[in-house]
Amino acid sequence: MTVEIGKQIKKLREEQEISQQELADYLTISRQTISKWELGKSLPDIENVVRIADYFNISVDVLIGRKKASFFESLFGGKERRQSLMDQSSKATNNAAFYSAYAPEIQPLFAANKRVNTFIKIEAAIFPQATFSKLMGYANCLCSFNSDEVSIDQIGKFKLAVNIPVEQPIASFSLHEILEINLQFGKYFRNVGGNFVTLIDIVTPDKTYYFWVESLKIAHAIWHHEKFSSIKLNLDKPFQKALNLSNEDEAVTAIRSEADKIQLFYGKV
């Protein structure tokens, strides 16, 4: 597969008159990395495989050489889709690391100010209410609020198509060091469906940590938990009325009812 995917990247790039540097700029990697892929000296990770397929408007199966592009994909796929992606990239609205669950290391994602998929744990409660999955990743990051301490840890490492559990500290600081927390909502669409997410920015004097959580309940939990009563919480006004509802399920329903006001976080409607 190493040779096939490299050949496919080069073939698609040359057919559409894209330079190695242009593709590298879109993926925010070096031109040398693209060259190594095309020469079969290394492989792109899962996140980049998906992004390259999106860039050229083809399926992952086509990219890795498991099937050929259809006539219509060959004829129409490419420039229009690519320009749309480049426009989205230039806006950098959320800088989402949507496939962070597939990343071997997430420290570089934080270093690059990427928005990382995470579980959030507040004392004993965890959001979303699911367990870490070894197979094809759920979030592999955990942000915990325990007593007056905040810890961010990598809890999985993607390798050979599975997420292997690990315990790797990323950062830790006092709750009192948080200057503010920004809450927003987003919606995403994938081939298998869509959902709503909560976007959370934790701002400290040294760094801002950008997260996304596949849960709306976490926003209600943060908004109402006494632990965050001394922290400045920022939320778009249209959703303040919904989060002020004391009942969690009613609050989530109210947020979902305002779907037209929720920006697209990932994917294409």
Side-chain angles (χ1 to χ4, degrees), residues 125-142:
I126 191 165
F127 304 86
Q129 295 166 333
T131 57
F132 174 71
S133 172
K134 291 183 182 180
L135 181 62
M136 295 304 287
Y138 209 131
N140 59 356
C141 178
L142 175 65

Side-chain angles (χ1 to χ4, degrees), residues 11-215:
K11 177 175 177 289
L12 290 163
R13 186 177 58 74
E14 291 181 343
E15 284 178 348
Q16 299 184 28
E17 299 179 351
I18 302 299
S19 69
Q20 287 184 339
Q21 189 61 59
E22 284 177 296
L23 181 56
D25 288 344
Y26 170 73
L27 298 172
T28 62
I29 59 176
S30 70
R31 185 198 62 77
Q32 288 79 6
T33 299
I34 303 293
S35 178
K36 287 181 180 179
W37 292 346
E38 293 185 355
L39 292 171
K41 294 182 178 180
S42 64
L43 276 171
D45 60 22
I46 293 294
E47 182 179 353
N48 278 322
V49 167
V50 173
R51 295 187 68 200
I52 293 167
D54 279 349
Y55 184 73
F56 289 111
N57 197 22
I58 59 173
S59 71
V60 170
D61 280 342
V62 170
L63 180 61
I64 65 177
R66 293 182 63 180
K67 72 174 187 178
K68 294 182 179 180
S70 70
F71 171 77
F72 289 102
E73 283 177 323
S74 300
L75 187 61
F76 297 112
K79 293 184 179 179
E80 195 171 303
R81 168 68 168 167
R82 184 170 65 251
Q83 185 59 52
S84 173
L85 287 168
M86 292 302 288
D87 290 344
Q88 292 177 28
S89 179
S90 65
K91 292 177 183 177
T93 308
N94 289 310
N95 206 13
F98 189 82
Y99 292 93
S100 57
Y102 306 126
E105 302 291 342
I106 60 174
Q107 177 68 58
L109 299 178
F110 285 110
N113 291 322
K114 296 286 187 178
R115 188 176 293 282
V116 174
N117 186 202
T118 192
F119 289 108
I120 287 191
K121 188 176 182 182
I122 304 174
E123 301 299 349
I126 191 165
F127 304 86
Q129 295 166 333
T131 57
F132 174 71
S133 172
K134 291 183 182 180
L135 181 62
M136 295 304 287
Y138 209 131
N140 59 356
C141 178
L142 175 65
C143 178
S144 301
F145 296 89
N146 187 27
S147 187
D148 290 331
E149 295 298 316
V150 183
S151 62
I152 301 170
D153 302 277
Q154 180 166 343
I155 59 172
K157 180 176 291 190
F158 189 78
K159 188 175 182 180
L160 299 177
V162 297
N163 251 326
I164 302 168
V166 299
E167 293 183 16
Q168 184 173 319
I170 300 294
S172 62
F173 45 88
S174 167
L175 187 69
H176 305 294
E177 292 181 56
I178 298 177
L179 301 178
E180 60 185 18
I181 295 178
N182 302 318
L183 298 173
Q184 292 179 287
F185 301 109
K187 52 191 175 186
Y188 75 78
F189 294 89
R190 302 174 72 180
N191 294 335
V192 293
N195 203 351
F196 294 93
V197 301
T198 301
L199 314 181
I200 302 174
D201 308 341
I202 298 177
V203 183
T204 73
D206 299 322
K207 184 173 179 59
T208 299
Y209 297 91
Y210 300 96
F211 297 108
W212 70 272
V213 186
E214 196 168 349
S215 166

